[in-house]
Amino acid sequence: MNTATLQSPHVDEGLDFARLFPASPHGTHLTARTARLLHDVLRYLGEAGHTRLAQLGDRPVCAQDEDLFTALPEFTWHQSVHWRRRFIAVFDEIADQLAQGRIPMPGTPAEEFALWLAIVQAELLITMQPDVVEHAVGAVAPEPGDFDWPQCHARLFRHAYVPLLFLDEFAGMHDPAHEANRRLRIGDYRPAGWFREFTAVVAPTYPAMRWV
């Protein structure tokens, strides 16, 4: 996705993220400002996805498109409009969890990729459009741990292999029959299985967390 054209994320002024994600004496990787920015980026990605889907339909995407769907691994680029619509809906589902004060714990490949894309976009937004970030989170008091993306990756995701599925040298690893997939026990990341719940989702045990 061409982040240089990323506009201001959707901001819901009615949500009080300081109340939804109060500071914890034990520390947490998902502070109120982190949750606020992720929520707004997820809303933006959902809106952008619907706009792009209306133009794209069932047409396969290619690298030149530089859109939300080319930001996904290439093995998803030929999916149907129905598949794409289901994936776009996941952005709002995760945003809704944050709007309820719930820390999202992805339970399907689609949820993992949607949250991973949101974190990537949030990181780039901080670097490339800090004024947009300030508009989104300026009303929320800063605290230690704001925008600690490595901790988000370490604690929210089922495993650390999602970025590898984008790399040419790991082509085919999304298939459970792939040798590396079998060895690492990654599971089924083929597009047809993106909306199936993982067979076993184990939430890390951090006392300060409120897991979905």
Side-chain angles (χ1 to χ4, degrees):
M1 192 176 198
N2 187 350
T3 54
T5 62
L6 185 63
Q7 301 301 311
S8 175
H10 173 83
V11 177
D12 188 337
E13 303 291 355
L15 293 173
D16 183 354
F17 275 80
R19 178 184 61 80
L20 290 168
F21 293 89
S24 166
H26 304 289
T28 175
H29 66 287
L30 200 58
T31 63
R33 285 165 69 93
T34 304
R36 163 95 271 178
L37 183 58
L38 278 179
H39 170 272
D40 294 346
V41 169
L42 285 159
R43 292 290 192 215
Y44 168 80
L45 290 174
E47 293 170 2
H50 282 294
T51 298
R52 182 59 180 143
L53 186 60
Q55 303 164 344
L56 186 64
D58 277 311
R59 177 177 73 77
V61 297
C62 58
Q64 290 74 23
D65 288 320
E66 291 190 338
D67 61 20
L68 173 66
F69 299 106
T70 57
L72 294 173
E74 192 169 348
F75 60 80
T76 68
W77 288 8
H78 288 74
Q79 295 308 298
S80 69
V81 66
H82 174 68
W83 187 95
R84 291 167 177 165
R85 189 175 293 113
R86 289 187 70 185
F87 177 71
I88 292 168
V90 173
F91 290 113
D92 277 336
E93 290 168 7
I94 300 175
D96 286 343
Q97 293 170 9
L98 290 165
Q100 296 165 19
R102 301 160 64 197
I103 294 178
M105 186 68 178
T108 67
E111 291 172 1
E112 281 195 326
F113 276 97
L115 185 57
W116 188 85
L117 286 179
I119 290 173
V120 169
Q121 289 296 308
E123 288 184 275
L124 291 173
L125 201 60
I126 289 170
T127 300
M128 299 173 66
Q129 295 178 294
D131 55 325
V132 170
V133 174
E134 182 58 28
H135 173 67
V137 306
V140 183
E143 59 182 292
D146 284 340
F147 312 134
D148 190 341
W149 307 121
Q151 286 296 326
C152 286
H153 280 114
R155 296 183 177 182
L156 292 181
F157 290 85
R158 182 172 178 250
H159 51 52
Y161 304 126
V162 168
L164 299 183
L165 299 177
F166 290 84
L167 304 178
D168 290 342
E169 56 264 43
F170 292 98
M173 198 169 72
H174 60 286
D175 190 325
H178 190 277
E179 180 183 355
N181 188 310
R182 292 201 311 270
R183 186 172 65 253
L184 298 172
R185 299 181 180 180
I186 294 173
D188 191 353
Y189 277 74
R190 291 174 296 182
W194 269 36
F195 306 102
R196 295 195 203 107
E197 292 286 335
F198 294 131
T199 54
V201 179
V202 179
T205 53
Y206 299 98
M209 302 296 177
R210 288 162 291 159
W211 299 98
V212 173

Short mmCIF file of all heavy atoms in Angstrom, two decimals, residues 78-104:
data_model
loop_
_atom_site.label_atom_id
_atom_site.label_comp_id
_atom_site.label_asym_id
_atom_site.label_seq_id
_atom_site.Cartn_x
_atom_site.Cartn_y
_atom_site.Cartn_z
N HIS A 78 -5.43 -13.28 -6.27
CA HIS A 78 -6.46 -13.73 -7.23
C HIS A 78 -7.76 -14.12 -6.54
O HIS A 78 -8.60 -14.82 -7.12
CB HIS A 78 -5.94 -14.92 -8.04
CG HIS A 78 -4.89 -14.56 -9.04
ND1 HIS A 78 -3.59 -14.26 -8.67
CD2 HIS A 78 -4.95 -14.44 -10.40
CE1 HIS A 78 -2.89 -13.97 -9.77
NE2 HIS A 78 -3.68 -14.07 -10.81
N GLN A 79 -7.95 -13.64 -5.31
CA GLN A 79 -9.16 -14.03 -4.58
C GLN A 79 -10.39 -13.30 -5.10
O GLN A 79 -10.30 -12.26 -5.74
CB GLN A 79 -8.97 -13.77 -3.09
CG GLN A 79 -7.90 -14.64 -2.45
CD GLN A 79 -8.12 -16.11 -2.73
OE1 GLN A 79 -9.15 -16.68 -2.34
NE2 GLN A 79 -7.18 -16.75 -3.41
N SER A 80 -11.55 -13.86 -4.79
CA SER A 80 -12.82 -13.32 -5.29
C SER A 80 -13.23 -12.07 -4.52
O SER A 80 -12.70 -11.76 -3.45
CB SER A 80 -13.92 -14.37 -5.13
OG SER A 80 -14.21 -14.58 -3.74
N VAL A 81 -14.22 -11.38 -5.07
CA VAL A 81 -14.74 -10.20 -4.39
C VAL A 81 -15.36 -10.58 -3.05
O VAL A 81 -15.29 -9.81 -2.08
CB VAL A 81 -15.77 -9.47 -5.30
CG1 VAL A 81 -17.01 -10.33 -5.53
CG2 VAL A 81 -16.16 -8.12 -4.72
N HIS A 82 -15.96 -11.77 -2.97
CA HIS A 82 -16.53 -12.24 -1.71
C HIS A 82 -15.44 -12.40 -0.66
O HIS A 82 -15.60 -11.97 0.49
CB HIS A 82 -17.27 -13.57 -1.92
CG HIS A 82 -17.76 -14.20 -0.65
ND1 HIS A 82 -18.77 -13.65 0.11
CD2 HIS A 82 -17.36 -15.33 0.00
CE1 HIS A 82 -18.98 -14.42 1.18
NE2 HIS A 82 -18.14 -15.44 1.13
N TRP A 83 -14.32 -13.01 -1.01
CA TRP A 83 -13.20 -13.20 -0.08
C TRP A 83 -12.67 -11.85 0.37
O TRP A 83 -12.42 -11.63 1.56
CB TRP A 83 -12.10 -14.01 -0.76
CG TRP A 83 -10.96 -14.42 0.11
CD1 TRP A 83 -10.82 -15.61 0.76
CD2 TRP A 83 -9.80 -13.64 0.44
NE1 TRP A 83 -9.63 -15.62 1.48
CE2 TRP A 83 -8.99 -14.42 1.29
CE3 TRP A 83 -9.36 -12.36 0.10
CZ2 TRP A 83 -7.77 -13.98 1.80
CZ3 TRP A 83 -8.15 -11.90 0.61
CH2 TRP A 83 -7.37 -12.70 1.45
N ARG A 84 -12.51 -10.94 -0.56
CA ARG A 84 -11.98 -9.62 -0.23
C ARG A 84 -12.92 -8.87 0.70
O ARG A 84 -12.49 -8.18 1.63
CB ARG A 84 -11.73 -8.83 -1.51
CG ARG A 84 -10.57 -9.37 -2.33
CD ARG A 84 -10.52 -8.78 -3.72
NE ARG A 84 -9.37 -9.27 -4.46
CZ ARG A 84 -9.22 -9.17 -5.78
NH1 ARG A 84 -10.18 -8.58 -6.50
NH2 ARG A 84 -8.15 -9.63 -6.37
N ARG A 85 -14.22 -9.00 0.46
CA ARG A 85 -15.19 -8.33 1.32
C ARG A 85 -15.12 -8.87 2.75
O ARG A 85 -15.20 -8.10 3.72
CB ARG A 85 -16.59 -8.49 0.75
CG ARG A 85 -17.65 -7.65 1.45
CD ARG A 85 -19.00 -7.76 0.78
NE ARG A 85 -19.00 -7.16 -0.55
CZ ARG A 85 -19.15 -7.82 -1.69
NH1 ARG A 85 -19.31 -9.14 -1.67
NH2 ARG A 85 -19.14 -7.19 -2.84
N ARG A 86 -14.96 -10.18 2.88
CA ARG A 86 -14.84 -10.78 4.21
C ARG A 86 -13.59 -10.29 4.92
O ARG A 86 -13.60 -10.02 6.13
CB ARG A 86 -14.81 -12.31 4.10
CG ARG A 86 -16.13 -12.95 3.72
CD ARG A 86 -16.05 -14.46 3.80
NE ARG A 86 -15.96 -14.93 5.18
CZ ARG A 86 -15.77 -16.21 5.51
NH1 ARG A 86 -15.66 -17.14 4.56
NH2 ARG A 86 -15.70 -16.57 6.77
N PHE A 87 -12.50 -10.17 4.15
CA PHE A 87 -11.27 -9.70 4.77
C PHE A 87 -11.41 -8.25 5.23
O PHE A 87 -10.99 -7.90 6.35
CB PHE A 87 -10.09 -9.84 3.81
CG PHE A 87 -8.81 -9.31 4.38
CD1 PHE A 87 -8.17 -9.98 5.41
CD2 PHE A 87 -8.27 -8.12 3.93
CE1 PHE A 87 -7.00 -9.48 5.98
CE2 PHE A 87 -7.10 -7.61 4.48
CZ PHE A 87 -6.47 -8.29 5.51
N ILE A 88 -11.98 -7.39 4.42
CA ILE A 88 -12.15 -5.99 4.79
C ILE A 88 -12.96 -5.86 6.08
O ILE A 88 -12.68 -5.01 6.93
CB ILE A 88 -12.84 -5.22 3.64
CG1 ILE A 88 -11.91 -5.13 2.43
CG2 ILE A 88 -13.24 -3.82 4.09
CD1 ILE A 88 -12.61 -4.65 1.18
N ALA A 89 -13.98 -6.71 6.24
CA ALA A 89 -14.82 -6.65 7.43
C ALA A 89 -14.03 -6.88 8.70
O ALA A 89 -14.41 -6.40 9.79
CB ALA A 89 -15.96 -7.67 7.32
N VAL A 90 -12.90 -7.60 8.60
CA VAL A 90 -12.10 -7.92 9.78
C VAL A 90 -11.51 -6.65 10.39
O VAL A 90 -11.34 -6.56 11.62
CB VAL A 90 -11.00 -8.94 9.41
CG1 VAL A 90 -10.04 -9.16 10.57
CG2 VAL A 90 -11.63 -10.26 8.99
N PHE A 91 -11.19 -5.65 9.58
CA PHE A 91 -10.65 -4.41 10.13
C PHE A 91 -11.64 -3.78 11.12
O PHE A 91 -11.26 -3.36 12.22
CB PHE A 91 -10.34 -3.41 9.01
CG PHE A 91 -9.17 -3.80 8.15
CD1 PHE A 91 -9.35 -4.13 6.82
CD2 PHE A 91 -7.88 -3.83 8.67
CE1 PHE A 91 -8.28 -4.48 6.02
CE2 PHE A 91 -6.79 -4.18 7.88
CZ PHE A 91 -7.00 -4.51 6.55
N ASP A 92 -12.90 -3.74 10.74
CA ASP A 92 -13.91 -3.17 11.64
C ASP A 92 -14.15 -4.06 12.85
O ASP A 92 -14.43 -3.56 13.95
CB ASP A 92 -15.22 -2.94 10.89
CG ASP A 92 -15.23 -1.62 10.12
OD1 ASP A 92 -14.47 -0.71 10.50
OD2 ASP A 92 -15.98 -1.51 9.15
N GLU A 93 -14.05 -5.37 12.67
CA GLU A 93 -14.25 -6.27 13.80
C GLU A 93 -13.19 -6.03 14.88
O GLU A 93 -13.49 -5.99 16.08
CB GLU A 93 -14.20 -7.72 13.32
CG GLU A 93 -15.41 -8.12 12.47
CD GLU A 93 -15.22 -9.45 11.78
OE1 GLU A 93 -14.21 -10.14 12.06
OE2 GLU A 93 -16.07 -9.81 10.93
N ILE A 94 -11.94 -5.87 14.45
CA ILE A 94 -10.87 -5.63 15.43
C ILE A 94 -11.01 -4.23 16.03
O ILE A 94 -10.81 -4.03 17.24
CB ILE A 94 -9.49 -5.81 14.78
CG1 ILE A 94 -9.34 -7.24 14.24
CG2 ILE A 94 -8.38 -5.53 15.80
CD1 ILE A 94 -8.06 -7.48 13.47
N ALA A 95 -11.36 -3.25 15.20
CA ALA A 95 -11.58 -1.90 15.71
C ALA A 95 -12.70 -1.90 16.75
O ALA A 95 -12.62 -1.19 17.77
CB ALA A 95 -11.91 -0.95 14.56
N ASP A 96 -13.75 -2.68 16.53
CA ASP A 96 -14.85 -2.77 17.49
C ASP A 96 -14.37 -3.33 18.83
O ASP A 96 -14.82 -2.89 19.89
CB ASP A 96 -15.97 -3.65 16.93
CG ASP A 96 -16.77 -2.97 15.84
OD1 ASP A 96 -16.69 -1.73 15.71
OD2 ASP A 96 -17.48 -3.69 15.09
N GLN A 97 -13.48 -4.31 18.77
CA GLN A 97 -12.93 -4.86 20.01
C GLN A 97 -12.20 -3.77 20.80
O GLN A 97 -12.38 -3.63 22.02
CB GLN A 97 -11.98 -6.02 19.70
CG GLN A 97 -12.66 -7.24 19.12
CD GLN A 97 -11.68 -8.27 18.61
OE1 GLN A 97 -10.47 -8.17 18.82
NE2 GLN A 97 -12.19 -9.28 17.91
N LEU A 98 -11.39 -2.98 20.11
CA LEU A 98 -10.67 -1.90 20.77
C LEU A 98 -11.64 -0.85 21.31
O LEU A 98 -11.43 -0.30 22.40
CB LEU A 98 -9.68 -1.26 19.80
CG LEU A 98 -8.47 -2.13 19.43
CD1 LEU A 98 -7.76 -1.57 18.21
CD2 LEU A 98 -7.51 -2.24 20.61
N ALA A 99 -12.70 -0.57 20.58
CA ALA A 99 -13.70 0.41 21.02
C ALA A 99 -14.44 -0.06 22.27
O ALA A 99 -15.05 0.76 22.97
CB ALA A 99 -14.69 0.69 19.89
N GLN A 100 -14.38 -1.36 22.56
CA GLN A 100 -15.00 -1.91 23.76
C GLN A 100 -13.98 -2.09 24.89
O GLN A 100 -14.31 -2.63 25.95
CB GLN A 100 -15.63 -3.26 23.44
CG GLN A 100 -16.77 -3.19 22.44
CD GLN A 100 -17.12 -4.55 21.86
OE1 GLN A 100 -16.78 -5.60 22.42
NE2 GLN A 100 -17.81 -4.56 20.73
N GLY A 101 -12.74 -1.63 24.67
CA GLY A 101 -11.71 -1.78 25.69
C GLY A 101 -11.11 -3.16 25.76
O GLY A 101 -10.52 -3.53 26.78
N ARG A 102 -11.23 -3.92 24.67
CA ARG A 102 -10.72 -5.30 24.63
C ARG A 102 -9.43 -5.34 23.81
O ARG A 102 -9.35 -4.77 22.73
CB ARG A 102 -11.75 -6.23 24.02
CG ARG A 102 -13.08 -6.25 24.77
CD ARG A 102 -14.19 -6.79 23.89
NE ARG A 102 -14.00 -8.17 23.52
CZ ARG A 102 -14.65 -8.78 22.53
NH1 ARG A 102 -15.50 -8.09 21.78
NH2 ARG A 102 -14.44 -10.04 22.26
N ILE A 103 -8.42 -6.02 24.33
CA ILE A 103 -7.17 -6.19 23.59
C ILE A 103 -7.37 -7.32 22.61
O ILE A 103 -7.70 -8.45 22.99
CB ILE A 103 -6.00 -6.49 24.54
CG1 ILE A 103 -5.73 -5.27 25.42
CG2 ILE A 103 -4.75 -6.85 23.74
CD1 ILE A 103 -4.63 -5.46 26.43
N PRO A 104 -7.19 -7.09 21.32
CA PRO A 104 -7.45 -8.13 20.33
C PRO A 104 -6.39 -9.22 20.34
O PRO A 104 -5.19 -8.95 20.40
CB PRO A 104 -7.44 -7.36 19.00
CG PRO A 104 -6.54 -6.20 19.26
CD PRO A 104 -6.76 -5.82 20.70
#
